[in-house]
Amino acid sequence: DVERVSDYCENISEYAEKNQVPYYNLFYEQEALGLNGETDWMDTQHLNYLGQRKMTEYMVRNGYLQ
């Protein structure tokens, strides 16, 4: 559920900040990423190759990756 995901993401964010590791929460950017629930997911939590490609292209296009 969304509350559980939100808690999970907050914990990761805190860990990343504490350890000076970049962390980008794109959970709420799924529409902007153009992810398709039928073709881009391996299971309910992991992107397949097509979804990973969309994620990478989005991150490059929007300055997350150089």
Side-chain angles (χ1 to χ4, degrees):
D1 70 15
V2 175
E3 185 177 330
R4 193 173 112 202
V5 170
S6 181
D7 289 344
Y8 177 77
C9 292
E10 182 62 31
N11 287 335
I12 292 173
S13 178
E14 289 173 6
Y15 176 87
E17 185 177 336
K18 177 181 174 188
N19 292 281
Q20 300 177 339
V21 176
Y23 170 67
Y24 309 109
N25 180 0
L26 299 177
F27 179 76
Y28 298 104
E29 302 296 320
Q30 293 183 43
E31 188 174 323
L33 288 160
L35 294 176
N36 180 312
E38 306 234 347
T39 60
D40 296 328
W41 294 89
M42 184 170 53
D43 56 34
T44 60
Q45 299 177 18
H46 301 95
L47 294 171
N48 63 21
Y49 172 79
L50 297 173
Q52 291 173 16
R53 185 173 178 162
K54 288 179 182 180
M55 173 75 74
T56 301
E57 290 171 354
Y58 176 88
M59 292 182 80
V60 168
R61 219 176 25 251
N62 291 283
Y64 292 99
L65 304 175
Q66 298 179 21

